[in-house]
Amino acid sequence: MSGKPELRGRAARLARLLPAGAGQAARTPFVLLVVLLLGGGLIGLLVLNSALSEGAFRLDDLQKDTKSLTDEEQALQRDVDAYSAPDALQRRARELGMVPGGDPAFLGPDGTVKGVPGAAGSAARVPMVPPPEVLAPAPRTQGPTPSAARTPAPSAQPSTTPGR
């Protein structure tokens, strides 16, 4: 006997498909395939890492831009709030020469007038909000204050109402 057991049936058919040599396959293609796969994987990781780093830098720049734009928006909102405050509106209206309105009159559905209209800027009507000059502390300078020289005196103009 040759030391090898005899194979029968299916095992014998499968054994004929295998090479009858010493069982040493060529290692060069396998080693080359493994080296190529590892090299490709490393290059892929390098490209991925570079893309992630670029994205992180871009994200940092966008966050800085967002912060600066948010600060600018808040500054603009503070400006809008300052301009829309009642005392600022009243001061600006006085600078433009506007006076407080008088008492209104209303028209009924049949054309009758209800109420007596008052003149605009009449002394009878006191504003609800005092002017900023009254609220602000007086400056410690001698002589007349510039804000007192700027404030226009309310004009007492007679109101003319059209007859019915």
Side-chain angles (χ1 to χ4, degrees):
M1 265 198 170
S2 66
K4 237 181 175 184
E6 281 284 323
L7 298 176
R8 297 186 193 133
R10 184 174 186 177
R13 284 190 307 261
L14 289 174
R16 277 185 277 161
L17 296 175
L18 296 174
Q24 290 285 345
R27 292 181 185 247
T28 306
F30 177 72
V31 170
L32 187 62
L33 177 67
V34 169
V35 168
L36 285 175
L37 285 176
L38 287 175
L42 288 175
I43 290 174
L45 284 175
L46 179 66
V47 168
L48 183 64
N49 191 14
S50 298
L52 288 176
S53 296
E54 181 184 349
F57 284 123
R58 187 161 188 257
L59 178 66
D60 188 45
D61 290 341
L62 290 174
Q63 285 175 340
K64 287 179 185 176
D65 291 346
T66 302
K67 185 180 181 313
S68 68
L69 290 174
T70 302
D71 292 344
E72 183 179 349
E73 178 190 15
Q74 289 175 353
L76 291 172
Q77 187 62 44
R78 280 193 304 270
D79 290 347
V80 167
D81 291 341
Y83 287 131
S84 64
D87 59 337
L89 288 174
Q90 185 180 22
R91 182 178 63 247
R92 183 74 177 130
R94 285 181 188 222
E95 288 173 2
L96 293 173
M98 299 175 80
V99 293
D103 293 328
F106 300 97
L107 292 177
D110 57 353
T112 60
V113 177
K114 296 185 181 191
V116 177
S122 64
R125 183 173 174 136
V126 177
M128 297 294 282
V129 179
E133 294 84 25
V134 174
L135 297 176
R140 297 178 190 230
T141 60
Q142 280 104 13
T145 61
S147 62
R150 270 190 310 178
T151 307
S155 62
Q157 297 175 351
S159 67
T160 57
T161 56
R164 285 188 280 176

